[in-house]
């Protein structure tokens, strides 16, 4: 009993946990200020650490708040932080600065080290309770041990994480949240695939029930057969040093029942896209130097259509997004779509209301899913960012070289938005440790499905988060399967990285 009493008092003497809230940064002087607000917040949050520090999600439940500002002057920037208590009194300060965007992450890490030291000063040990306050009698002499009970009560350990039970079915106007609609369990197929892939497109379905999959690296095309495992059938590496693949799509424009592979290719900062087929285990080039971005999307009839858009000297995306049609031995853009001015060929989809009204769904420049009317009016915007891609192409940027110090700027290729036959929208979401300026590093992902109710998007389901970056995906509506291309190991200076195919059954 004496030993138990001493251990109890020792545990009570441990330091109290200080609860810390980190709001979005205030950003001044940066072109991508909306993006930086949340990115810098996430960077700092992950770097505030300590056994006695707990990060909370609201200021009401916090003991201290870390209010930070990012101020840019050309390429030079400053990070300034104030540590405030619940009464709004400043109890600590810290600042850091850097000379370029490449120094943002190291500067945030240095700032976090200083703030961790300030937070340590705020952690005070709890008062050690006296024996009288705990009601424990002070032993005056050794006592005989109590007799052992014949019936011993079993101690059951509680799990570290409690999984909430599904709420019971309820009727009425107020419905309590239910567990998300299940997307069937599955996993990686068989083996890792060498290389960090950037693109996925489905080929023909085989009589055996297997399917063909086209995968792409930045300078390589591959054809796999996917069943219980994936088997390499053919590959093509004949690309020049200044050529870069930024996307692949399939479509059967010649009507022979076999889809062609449409490769969006940049040569330097100019489009030089290509069309390939596979014959007898080899890739065969049938068209090249096409000035189009390609993107295949399902149409209202459920059949996939191929769309294209061009680039301009002064604009990254020029002209309307139009349907790609085959004319003899060439290709043309016809039947232009009426899209909002901000929408490009990447990151848009379309839904049709019951009365036939067409709505455009797009991921805007800040990463929010947005629904537009035909006249370009914004009807709805998501609260959370969706999409997110690490694939990009470069364009010359002489106008801003004095400000940025960079001759080229990066244009990121946004994720696909797919529309199902029942008019639901499917869109992925990549999350990561940091997303700053021209840099992207995503490390986990999910797929979401939404339905338009005429006024707002309602979530139908989402997949369990994966601890991998989602490079591309496809949806086989006949099989109710999501085919996900995930990067399981990022490339490095020497290592090429690795990828895997993941199949999820949507039930």
């Amino acid at each position: 009993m004496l030993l138990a009493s001493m251990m109890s008092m020792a545990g009570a003497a441990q330091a109290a946990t200080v609860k810390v809230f980190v709001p979005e940064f205030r950003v001044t002087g940066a072109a991508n200020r909306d993006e930086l607000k949340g990115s810098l917040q996430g960077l700092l949050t992950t770097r505030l650490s300590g056994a006695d520090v707990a990060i909370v999600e609201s200021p009401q439940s916090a003991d201290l708040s870390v209010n930070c500002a990012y101020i840019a002057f050309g390429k030079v920037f400053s990070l300034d932080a104030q540590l405030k208590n619940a009464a709004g009194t400043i109890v600590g300060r810290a600042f850091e600065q850097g000379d370029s965007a490449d120094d943002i992450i190291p500067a945030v890490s240095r700032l976090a080290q200083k703030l961790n030291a300030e937070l340590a000063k705020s952690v005070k040990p709890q008062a050690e309770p006296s024996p009288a306050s705990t009601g424990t009698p002070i032993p005056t002499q050794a006592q005989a041990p109590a007799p052992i009970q014949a019936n011993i009560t079993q101690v059951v350990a509680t799990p570290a994480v409690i999984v909430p039970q599904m709420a019971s079915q309820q009727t009425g106007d107020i419905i309590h949240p239910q567990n998300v609609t299940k997307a069937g369990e599955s996993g990686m197929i068989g083996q890792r695939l060498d290389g960090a892939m950037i693109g996925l497109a489905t080929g023909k379905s085989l009589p055996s029930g297997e399917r063909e999959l086209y995968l792409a690296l930045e300078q390589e095309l591959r054809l796999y057969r996917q069943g219980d495992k994936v088997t390499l059938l053919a590959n093509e590496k004949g690309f020049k040093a200044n050529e870069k693949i930024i996307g692949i799509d399939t479509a059967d424009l010649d009507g022979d029942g076999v889809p062609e592979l449409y490769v969006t290719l940049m040569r330097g900062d100019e489009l030089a896209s290509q069309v390939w087929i596979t014959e007898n285990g080899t890739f065969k080039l049938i068209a090249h130097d096409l000035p189009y971005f390609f993107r295949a999307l399902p149409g209202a009839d459920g059949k996939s259509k191929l769309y294209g858009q061009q680039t301009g000297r002064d604009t990254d995306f020029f002209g309307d997004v139009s349907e790609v049609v085959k004319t003899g031995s060439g290709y043309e853009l016809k039947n232009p779509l009426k899209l909002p001015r901000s929408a490009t060929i990447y990151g848009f989809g379309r839904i049709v209301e019951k009365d036939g009204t067409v709505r455009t769904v797009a991921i805007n420049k800040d990463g929010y899913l947005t629904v537009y009317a035909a006249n370009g009016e914004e009807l709805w915007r998501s609260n959370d960012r969706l999409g997110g891609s690490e694939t990009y192409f470069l364009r010359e940027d002489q106008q801003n070289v004095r400000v940025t110090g960079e001759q080229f700027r990066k244009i990121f290729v946004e994720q696909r938005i797919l529309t199902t036959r029942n008019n639901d929208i499917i869109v992925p979401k990549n999350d990561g440790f940091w997303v700053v300026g021209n840099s992207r590093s995503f490390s986990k992902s999910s797929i979401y499905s939404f339905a338009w109710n005429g006024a707002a998007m309602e979530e139908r389901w989402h997949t369990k988060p994966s601890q991998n970056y989602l490079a591309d995906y496809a949806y086989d509506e006949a099989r109710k399967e999501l085919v996900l291309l995930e990067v399981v190991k990022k490339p490095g200076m020497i290592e090429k990285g690795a990828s895997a195919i993941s199949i999820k059954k949507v039930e």
Side-chain angles (χ1 to χ4, degrees):
M1 291 177 63
L2 176 61
L3 178 60
S5 176
M6 293 174 63
M7 292 177 64
S8 175
M9 290 186 290
Q14 293 179 351
T17 300
V18 60
K19 299 177 182 178
V20 178
F21 171 66
V22 182
E24 286 190 338
F25 276 53
R26 299 189 308 276
V27 177
T28 304
N32 53 337
R33 56 188 304 271
D34 289 337
E35 187 178 346
L36 280 171
K37 289 177 182 179
S39 302
L40 293 172
Q41 176 194 27
L43 278 172
L44 182 60
T45 300
T46 58
R47 286 159 174 75
L48 293 179
S49 61
D52 303 320
V53 175
I55 303 298
V56 297
E57 297 184 354
S58 67
Q60 291 79 15
S61 57
D63 301 315
L64 298 171
S65 295
V66 182
N67 298 281
C68 301
Y70 172 92
I71 304 172
F73 301 94
K75 294 174 62 178
V76 180
F77 67 87
S78 175
L79 295 170
D80 300 271
Q82 295 180 342
L83 201 59
K84 294 184 178 181
N85 61 20
T89 304
I90 297 175
V91 296
R93 299 176 185 269
F95 75 92
E96 274 295 336
Q97 63 185 42
D99 297 327
S100 69
D102 294 335
D103 196 33
I104 289 179
I105 295 177
V108 173
S109 298
R110 297 192 300 268
L111 180 68
Q113 291 177 357
K114 293 181 178 180
L115 289 171
N116 283 331
E118 292 293 324
L119 289 171
K121 299 176 184 178
S122 303
V123 179
K124 297 180 180 180
Q126 294 177 342
E128 188 173 298
S130 65
S133 66
T134 61
T136 304
I138 301 175
T140 56
Q141 60 182 13
Q143 300 180 12
I148 299 176
Q149 299 291 330
N151 296 323
I152 300 176
T153 302
Q154 183 180 11
V155 178
V156 181
T158 57
V161 177
I162 306 298
V163 179
Q165 299 296 317
M166 181 177 291
S168 59
Q169 295 291 333
Q170 300 181 31
T171 59
D173 293 331
I174 305 300
I175 306 298
H176 291 277
Q178 305 289 318
N179 278 4
V180 68
T181 302
K182 185 173 114 177
E185 292 296 328
S186 62
M188 296 299 175
I189 295 179
Q191 74 279 2
R192 291 152 61 95
L193 305 178
D194 182 44
M197 309 285 185
I198 59 96
L200 162 75
T202 56
K204 61 185 178 182
S205 296
L206 305 176
S208 61
E210 299 174 314
R211 64 160 72 89
E212 290 184 345
L213 295 177
Y214 289 98
L215 301 181
L217 288 85
E218 290 185 351
Q219 291 187 315
E220 182 180 352
L221 298 173
R222 296 181 187 174
L223 174 64
Y224 288 90
R225 183 177 64 246
Q226 176 253 309
D228 294 333
K229 62 178 182 178
V230 288
T231 304
L232 182 64
L233 301 178
N235 70 327
E236 173 61 48
K237 298 182 179 180
F239 296 93
K240 300 177 182 178
N242 67 335
E243 293 180 336
K244 179 180 180 180
I245 299 170
I246 63 171
I248 57 173
D249 297 84
T250 51
D252 181 18
L253 297 191
D254 58 12
D256 64 354
V258 179
E260 307 89 46
L261 180 66
Y262 292 84
V263 180
T264 302
L265 180 77
M266 298 297 295
R267 183 177 298 135
D269 65 347
E270 296 292 337
L271 277 169
S273 296
Q274 302 174 347
V275 185
W276 295 78
I277 58 172
T278 51
E279 289 182 348
N280 302 320
T282 60
F283 278 88
K284 179 181 178 181
L285 183 65
I286 61 174
H288 58 87
D289 294 335
L290 300 175
Y292 308 131
F293 296 104
F294 291 125
R295 177 55 50 100
L297 296 173
D301 56 358
K303 296 182 180 180
S304 180
K305 290 187 178 181
L306 185 68
Y307 295 96
Q309 191 174 19
Q310 296 181 292
T311 186
R313 290 291 181 183
D314 301 323
T315 57
D316 303 322
F317 299 96
F318 176 77
D320 294 322
V321 175
S322 305
E323 187 177 348
V324 179
V325 295
K326 185 172 176 59
T327 56
S329 60
Y331 297 87
E332 293 182 4
L333 298 183
K334 292 185 177 181
N335 307 320
L337 300 179
K338 187 176 182 181
L339 298 179
R341 183 176 300 177
S342 59
T344 69
I345 191 170
Y346 297 117
F348 90 94
R350 310 182 87 199
I351 52 179
V352 182
E353 296 186 341
K354 293 181 179 179
D355 62 358
T357 303
V358 177
R359 304 298 189 195
T360 299
V361 184
I363 298 174
N364 68 14
K365 63 178 182 180
D366 296 319
Y368 294 97
L369 187 68
T370 309
V371 180
Y372 296 94
N375 61 2
E377 177 189 359
E378 182 179 309
L379 302 177
W380 178 87
R381 179 186 296 191
S382 65
N383 291 322
D384 299 320
R385 287 186 174 93
L386 294 163
S389 171
E390 294 181 8
T391 301
Y392 66 90
F393 61 94
L394 296 174
R395 295 300 305 275
E396 194 170 5
D397 193 20
Q398 293 292 345
Q399 294 181 346
N400 298 311
V401 67
R402 292 184 179 180
V403 177
T404 63
E406 302 289 341
Q407 184 179 356
F408 296 91
R409 69 179 182 278
K410 292 180 180 179
I411 297 90
F412 288 88
V413 177
E414 192 48 85
Q415 293 279 358
R416 304 175 190 272
I417 296 179
L418 301 181
T419 306
T420 66
R421 290 191 184 100
N422 63 355
N423 224 28
D424 289 348
I425 287 292
I426 298 177
V427 59
K429 176 182 181 181
N430 273 312
D431 276 322
F433 292 113
W434 54 276
V435 181
V436 178
N438 279 338
S439 299
R440 300 284 190 274
S441 183
F442 297 108
S443 58
K444 55 184 179 180
S445 58
S446 295
I447 300 282
Y448 286 77
S449 175
F450 297 94
W452 176 249
N453 65 13
M457 282 290 192
E458 295 179 344
E459 182 184 332
R460 286 213 182 273
W461 51 259
H462 69 262
T463 62
K464 182 176 66 176
S466 169
Q467 299 302 307
N468 301 297
Y469 161 63
L470 179 70
D472 202 357
Y473 79 106
Y475 180 54
D476 189 330
E477 190 157 6
R479 302 187 188 188
K480 300 295 182 183
E481 287 182 348
L482 287 167
V483 185
L484 311 182
L485 173 61
E486 298 179 284
V487 177
V488 297
K489 184 179 181 181
K490 295 291 184 72
M493 295 294 293
I494 300 176
E495 298 176 334
K496 296 181 179 179
S499 305
I501 297 297
S502 176
I503 307 296
K504 294 187 182 294
K505 190 78 173 178
V506 179
E507 299 176 342

